[in-house]
Amino acid sequence: MPLLAVFAVVLVAVVFVLADRWRRGAFVFGLATLLAAGFRLCLPAERVGLLAVRGQRFDVAALIAVGGAIVWLAVSIDPLGTD
C-alpha cells in the first residue's frame, strides 16, 4: 500500500506536468519522494515493499536528499510570469 500511495502522488505530478504546470509538478514529485522517505522511516521493511532498496538509514537519507533537492529547486525557480 505505501508504494501505491507514492505512485498516486507521482501520478498527480505527471498530470500537473502534462497540464503545462511543470513547476507544480516538480514540487509534487518532490513531495512524493519525501512521502516515500516517511514511509521507509516509519514502516518495517516487510510493509514498504519496493521502497526498501538498501538499509533503512541509506534509503531514508537518499530519499530525503533527492526529495528535498527537487522541492527546493521547484520553489527557487523564478516563475517569469508563469504559474
Side-chain angles (χ1 to χ4, degrees):
M1 285 308 253
L3 186 61
L4 290 177
V6 172
F7 183 70
V9 177
V10 169
L11 192 60
V12 170
V14 169
V15 169
F16 275 128
V17 170
L18 291 176
D20 232 5
R21 302 288 188 214
W22 62 270
R23 285 183 348 119
R24 287 183 188 157
F27 182 79
V28 172
F29 184 76
L31 290 180
T33 309
L34 293 174
L35 177 66
F39 281 140
R40 183 65 177 111
L41 180 65
C42 296
L43 297 174
E46 300 83 33
R47 299 265 334 259
V48 292
L50 293 175
L51 293 177
V53 177
R54 304 255 182 207
Q56 183 182 20
R57 280 191 232 160
F58 179 83
D59 287 346
V60 171
L63 287 167
I64 287 174
V66 171
I70 292 171
V71 167
W72 178 77
L73 285 170
V75 170
S76 68
I77 293 174
D78 185 28
L80 296 175
T82 62
D83 286 333

